[in-house]
Amino acid sequence: MGLPDLPPLREVIAAHGLDARKSLGQNFLTDTNLLDRIARIPGLGTGARVYEVGPGPGGLTRALLRTGASVVAVERDDRALPALAELAAAADGWLTVVGDDAMAVDARALAGDGAHIVANLPYNIGTALFTGWLDGEEWPPWWASLTLMFQKEVAQRITARPGSGAYGRLAVLAQWRSVPKIALTVPARAFVPAPKVDSAVVHLVPATPMSAAHPARLA
């Protein structure tokens, strides 16, 4: 979809007092080219449905909307909701903002079957959300793909090969039911404020499980 001219993200952050808070696991991306690269990873087309967690000032949300996708964004930080409301008004029905805790909402009910989950996950809840999306009783899952930003070390643990030092619980869970890959590495300097570590975007698509093990044994 075509978005009208919008103010730069840095201006939005300043206007709404959106200093990133460590307690909420926040680090904001403001580079438009980088955000567009992330939004292109899942191969979204016009009318695709996306579920986003922790949009903050809406940088990745803008990029997802530019692909023609319809977005449901869940944001816990009340300070960000006015900025997201402005973006929703500009998106003319293509963006729904839910002010709630992503750990408490029913993502499937909000986004619908076949939605793509795309998020710069808050560091403090990223792993919990990820394992929750993978360890459900039902498989194939309700979501079509996962495109998730993690600390680089976590991304490497998810995609680690058997026998490597990073291979463990996250790799077993992810590779049992999906095909994960690191799609993009993001240096710390790309964030505001810059974290102490680099990040990486992991892309996963569902696959036929390698065994009939119960998910609770792997999660």
Side-chain angles (χ1 to χ4, degrees), residues 1 3-4 6 57-58 61-62 65 71 73 80-98:
M1 67 165 291
L3 287 172
L6 297 169
T61 317
R62 293 184 185 193
L65 290 168
V71 181
L81 296 181
L84 292 170
E86 293 171 2
L87 180 55
D92 194 24
W94 289 81
L95 170 61
T96 301
V97 179
V98 179

Side-chain angles (χ1 to χ4, degrees), residues 12-197:
V12 172
I13 291 170
H16 292 277
L18 293 177
D19 55 300
R21 291 187 175 175
K22 186 175 182 180
S23 62
L24 295 175
Q26 293 175 327
N27 295 95
F28 301 142
L29 280 174
T30 60
D31 185 314
T32 299
N33 291 330
L34 181 56
L35 290 164
D36 283 338
R37 287 177 65 190
I38 296 170
R40 288 195 295 267
I41 289 170
L44 305 172
T46 301
R49 284 174 290 110
V50 173
Y51 177 73
E52 183 187 7
V53 174
L60 181 56
T61 317
R62 293 184 185 193
L64 292 167
L65 290 168
R66 284 193 290 268
T67 70
S70 173
V71 181
V72 175
V74 177
E75 177 55 67
R76 175 184 174 187
D77 188 353
D78 290 342
R79 301 172 307 147
L81 296 181
L84 292 170
E86 293 171 2
L87 180 55
D92 194 24
W94 289 81
L95 170 61
T96 301
V97 179
V98 179
D100 210 332
D101 185 345
M103 293 293 293
V105 302
D106 185 338
R108 182 177 190 173
L110 290 173
D113 287 355
H116 299 264
I117 301 178
V118 185
N120 174 12
L121 289 174
Y123 283 170
N124 54 353
I125 61 171
T127 301
L129 286 171
F130 174 69
T131 56
W133 289 324
L134 281 171
D135 68 6
E137 295 280 348
E138 182 181 341
W139 203 264
W142 62 270
W143 44 267
S145 71
L146 302 177
T147 303
L148 308 172
M149 180 93 72
F150 292 100
Q151 294 181 37
K152 187 177 179 180
E153 178 185 355
V154 176
Q156 290 171 333
R157 286 161 52 198
I158 291 169
T159 58
R161 305 314 301 165
S164 68
Y167 191 74
R169 179 180 70 96
L170 289 180
V172 171
L173 181 61
Q175 296 170 35
W176 169 53
R177 281 182 153 180
S178 71
V179 179
K181 67 176 183 179
I182 293 179
L184 183 67
T185 299
V186 183
R189 64 179 181 275
F191 294 90
V192 179
K196 295 180 179 180
V197 296

